[in-house]
């Protein structure tokens, strides 16, 4: 179990969204793919933010009360989200997950480019499977 790394269980080639994307399209994507959030990337696929269902819900409520026009991801995203290194120990990440709120962690390389995605469910499954012996 101690030898498991993030790269062993992460989702490779994950979905991401640009900061200038319309929030309505983000909501459509989250609902269509049944995911709870997505990393926001720049033109070089560097992670610059994260937007969750909760962020979208909050903004849609505010927009409906104030009859606001189109809202962009950059207006609601969390800047500088928690990310993990591809070579990080899965056990260390599990310990971090116990202390931090995010359920989804973008996996980045040394230049902060998005290369994977990891959820608490993936970590839980990998730890369970390693206890079972495979």
């Amino acid at each position: 179990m101690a030898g498991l790394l993030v790269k062993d269980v992460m989702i490779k080639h994950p979905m991401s969204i640009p900061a200038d994307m319309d929030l309505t399209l983000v909501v459509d994507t989250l609902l269509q793919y049944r995911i709870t959030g997505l990393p926001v990337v720049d033109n070089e696929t560097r992670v610059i933010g994260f937007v969750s269902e909760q962020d979208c819900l909050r903004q849609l409520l505010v927009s409906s009360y104030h009859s606001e026009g189109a809202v962009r991801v950059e207006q609601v995203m969390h800047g500088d989200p928690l990310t993990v290194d591809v070579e990080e120990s899965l056990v260390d990440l599990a310990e971090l997950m116990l202390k931090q709120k995010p359920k989804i962690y973008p996996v980045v390389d040394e230049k902060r480019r998005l290369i994977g995605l990891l959820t608490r469910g993936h970590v839980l499954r990998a730890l369970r499977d390693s206890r079972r012996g495979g």
Side-chain angles (χ1 to χ4, degrees):
M1 179 168 23
L4 280 176
L5 301 176
V6 165
K7 68 181 177 183
D8 298 326
V9 296
M10 71 180 189
I11 299 169
K12 295 176 175 89
H13 313 293
M15 292 176 59
S16 62
I17 53 176
D20 62 351
M21 188 175 199
D22 186 284
L23 194 64
T24 304
L25 294 174
V26 175
V27 171
D28 291 344
T29 302
L30 294 175
L31 293 172
Q32 178 181 354
Y33 293 98
R34 296 181 179 171
I35 49 181
T36 60
L38 286 168
V40 181
V41 297
D42 66 12
N43 292 336
E44 282 90 41
T45 68
R46 288 185 303 247
V47 176
I48 59 169
F50 194 88
V51 67
S52 69
E53 286 177 319
Q54 185 172 354
D55 301 324
C56 295
L57 181 60
R58 183 181 303 112
Q59 184 59 43
L60 290 176
L61 276 173
V62 168
S63 300
S64 67
Y65 286 123
H66 301 288
S67 300
E68 293 179 2
V71 177
R72 302 278 177 220
V73 168
E74 61 200 349
Q75 296 171 263
V76 299
M77 72 180 192
H78 293 279
D80 197 28
L82 289 173
T83 60
V84 294
D85 183 88
V86 68
E87 296 292 332
E88 188 168 343
S89 158
L90 208 58
V91 171
D92 290 345
L93 178 57
E95 290 175 358
L96 176 67
M97 287 179 161
L98 292 174
K99 299 173 190 168
Q100 302 292 336
K101 184 178 178 180
K103 298 174 182 93
I104 302 172
Y105 290 79
V107 181
V108 297
D109 66 12
E110 66 280 349
K111 293 184 179 176
R112 204 164 165 78
R113 290 180 301 217
L114 181 67
I115 57 172
L117 206 61
L118 204 55
T119 67
R120 284 194 284 192
H122 290 110
V123 173
L124 188 62
R125 188 176 303 111
L127 294 176
R128 178 205 61 196
D129 291 351
S130 72
R131 287 180 51 112
R132 289 182 175 170

